[in-house]
Structures are given as C-alpha cells and as structure tokens.
Amino acid sequence: MKTLRTLLAAAAAALALAACGDETPAAPPAPQAMSADAVGHYCGMVLNDHAGPKGQIFVRGRAGPVWFSSIKQVFAYTMLPEEPKGLLAVYVNDMATAGADGAPDPAVWIDARQAYYVIEGGYIGGMGAEDAMPFSDQARAQDFARRHGGRVAAFSEVPERYVFAQ
C-alpha cells in the first residue's frame, strides 16, 4: 500500500510539473501612445521633435517602452550584444497609413517583426539620415520603393551593414 501511495504521489507531482509547462504565454504588451515627453533611447531627444516613423520596444522587467527616433535605431537595439535580449514586443509606425505629407500616424503601430521595410532608399528619417520605412502591406512597401528608390526586406532580412552604415 505504501508503494502505491508513493507511486500516486510521484505521478501527481509529475502532472503538476507538466501542467506548469502548459501555461499559455502572456500576450505581448500593447503599443503605447507616444507622450509629449517620450525621448529617444540613443539620442535622448524628444521624439515629437523628429519627422519620420518611430519605434518602441518592450523589455522584460521594464514597465514602459524604450523609445526610438528612427527605425534603424530599433534594429540596432535588437542587434547590439550589450542591449537587453528579453524583448516582449517590438513596434514601429506603419507608413502605409502616412498622411499626404508623408508623416506617419502617431497612433498606428505594427509588429516590427511582421512589417516590410524599404531599405537602401533615399528617405531621410527622424535623425536626418537615410532610414528604413516600415509598412504593414507589402504592396504599399513595393510601391514606395518604386517611387523613392530602395528595396523591400522583411525584418529578418535587414542586414547589419545597412543598420550600422553611416
């Protein structure tokens, strides 16, 4: 009888441990509205003072997002070995919803890893240098590249040499 109880207790413990692994991962944090005092991680400047699309990254253990003044900075943060790697969500403005003036809608954020980027073009971004343009729609990205130069790449296809080029 003692052996049966021991086996049942061991089985119950194994089931309890197995159940821990079945937990559904928490949904990523939703993108936040850019406040008037949001500053870029690398430049330390107020984001509203810069044109072009912006980015925000949520890092495990940090309450709010890390803000970025340009899309290349978003890529740099994900590539640099000294930056945190517990990324919960990465968002960029969607240029598919940009106004006639080319300004991104500050309320429209998309998952950066699902976006299509026009790179190696002539678009000058928020930091006064050529920057990647993120789009939720691949056809809109291709149209932008035809009109402004560059090529379309997925998040995983953007090369380090492009991100860190001067």
Side-chain angles (χ1 to χ4, degrees):
M1 190 67 163
K2 187 174 183 177
T3 304
L4 180 59
R5 270 190 272 171
T6 304
L7 284 173
L8 287 174
L15 285 173
L17 287 174
C20 291
D22 289 340
E23 290 181 27
T24 304
Q32 290 189 6
M34 194 171 56
S35 66
D37 61 343
V39 296
H41 176 69
Y42 293 119
C43 67
M45 296 160 48
V46 176
L47 294 183
N48 286 333
D49 292 346
H50 298 282
K54 314 292 186 286
Q56 57 179 292
I57 296 179
F58 288 86
V59 179
R60 184 173 288 109
R62 183 181 167 132
V66 179
W67 293 101
F68 299 92
S69 304
S70 74
I71 303 307
K72 278 188 172 182
Q73 292 177 353
V74 171
F75 280 100
Y77 192 86
T78 67
M79 293 175 176
L80 289 169
E82 64 268 20
E83 298 294 2
K85 297 305 169 212
L87 308 184
L88 300 174
V90 181
Y91 297 107
V92 291
N93 286 129
D94 183 4
M95 293 303 287
T97 63
D101 61 355
D105 183 336
V108 180
W109 298 92
I110 57 174
D111 182 333
R113 293 179 177 129
Q114 302 302 313
Y116 301 94
Y117 296 88
V118 177
I119 63 171
E120 300 166 349
Y123 183 85
I124 303 302
M127 293 306 295
E130 192 275 323
D131 199 11
M133 294 294 103
F135 291 84
S136 60
D137 180 80
Q138 187 175 21
R140 299 282 302 268
Q142 290 169 336
D143 182 56
F144 185 91
R146 274 192 296 279
R147 289 184 288 118
H148 300 282
R151 67 181 176 97
V152 177
F155 186 89
S156 63
E157 299 169 336
V158 175
E160 280 190 35
R161 66 174 161 48
Y162 169 74
V163 171
F164 297 110
Q166 296 291 334

